[in-house]
């Protein structure tokens, strides 16, 4: 049976070139066309966004500082009993101070150590929470990291004035976090379009 002229557009199809029409492989989009990449305004394709290396480093530094602060806060709270005994021994060695006053001084010393431990733990939570938000964070996460690192840098400088040589570590980490979050790559990462 013949279908007539092969050049007739209204006749039966004579055969199609391979790859034309519906896709041959499962999982491809329909109609044989690949899906278009997401587009920015003015028709430019959006490149895949990967966290820059400096921002990744700042995130790791926030986790490190937060971990050290958790350790420091827990140790401060655990050492409060030792400080209470120390203050009580000092107060009881004074002849003009009664035992009741020595207990009061010891309780105040322990309370101060516990309060400082809680403050250090709050700073640790701030660092860890901010670092956890880096992957999907916006400008507020960047500002939080910069403010946190600025406070760490300030307290590190004050601690260095008190001859604490270990404050150099937190000073360097604080400065690096500020630099990595405030530079152009940090701005690119935190101000990227969210789809």
């Amino acid at each position: 049976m013949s279908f007539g002229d092969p050049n007739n557009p209204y006749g039966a199809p004579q055969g199609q070139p391979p790859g034309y029409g519906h896709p041959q492989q499962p999982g491809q989009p329909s109609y044989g066309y690949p899906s278009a990449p997401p587009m920015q305004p003015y028709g430019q394709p959006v490149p895949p966004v990967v966290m820059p290396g400096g921002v990744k480093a700042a995130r790791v530094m926030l986790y490190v500082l937060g971990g050290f602060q958790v350790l420091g806060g827990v140790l401060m709270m655990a050492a409060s009993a030792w400080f209470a005994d120390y203050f009580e021994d000092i107060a009881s060695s004074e002849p003009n101070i009664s035992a009741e006053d020595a207990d009061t001084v010891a309780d105040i010393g322990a309370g101060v150590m516990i309060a400082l431990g809680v403050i250090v733990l709050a700073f640790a939570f701030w660092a860890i929470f901010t670092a956890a938000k880096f992957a999907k964070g916006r400008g507020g996460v960047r500002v939080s990291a910069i403010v946190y690192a600025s406070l760490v840098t300030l307290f590190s400088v004050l601690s260095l004035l008190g001859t604490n040589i270990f404050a150099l570590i937190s000073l360097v980490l604080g400065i690096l976090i500020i630099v990595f979050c405030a530079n152009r790559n940090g701005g690119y990462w935190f101000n990227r379009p969210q789809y």
Side-chain angles (χ1 to χ4, degrees):
M1 172 179 243
S2 171
F3 290 105
D5 184 17
N7 294 326
N8 182 359
Y10 300 108
Q14 298 296 321
Q16 296 178 350
Y20 182 77
H22 291 288
Q24 301 296 322
Q25 300 170 347
Q28 286 185 348
S30 61
Y31 304 114
Y33 295 105
S35 63
M39 302 297 267
Q40 286 181 346
Y42 310 113
Q44 300 170 354
V46 177
V49 181
V50 177
M51 189 183 299
V55 178
K56 285 181 186 178
R59 183 182 194 186
V60 169
M61 290 176 204
L62 282 169
Y63 279 129
V64 168
L65 281 174
F68 280 139
Q69 288 177 339
V70 166
L71 182 64
V74 169
L75 287 176
M76 289 175 84
M77 291 170 58
S80 64
W82 180 80
F83 277 107
D85 291 340
Y86 178 73
F87 287 137
E88 190 173 351
D89 289 343
I90 290 175
S92 63
S93 67
E94 294 290 324
N96 299 341
I97 297 178
S98 67
E100 185 176 300
D101 290 339
D103 286 340
T104 304
V105 169
D107 291 343
I108 290 173
V112 167
M113 287 302 294
I114 291 173
L116 288 175
V118 168
I119 290 171
V120 170
L121 285 176
F123 267 87
F125 174 76
W126 182 9
I128 292 170
F129 184 74
T130 301
K133 290 291 193 175
F134 263 45
K136 295 184 180 179
R138 301 291 291 170
V141 175
R142 179 184 186 194
V143 170
S144 175
I146 291 172
V147 169
Y148 171 82
S150 300
L151 289 174
V152 165
T153 303
L154 173 69
F155 289 130
S156 297
V157 168
L158 294 176
S159 186
L160 277 174
L161 294 176
T163 65
N164 180 5
I165 196 71
F166 294 110
L168 277 174
I169 297 169
S170 59
L171 176 68
V172 169
L173 291 178
I175 290 171
L176 287 175
I177 290 170
I178 293 170
V179 169
F180 289 148
C181 289
N183 68 10
R184 185 172 47 102
N185 287 336
Y188 167 74
W189 174 253
F190 289 109
N191 295 325
R192 72 194 185 282
Q194 303 269 334
Y195 294 107

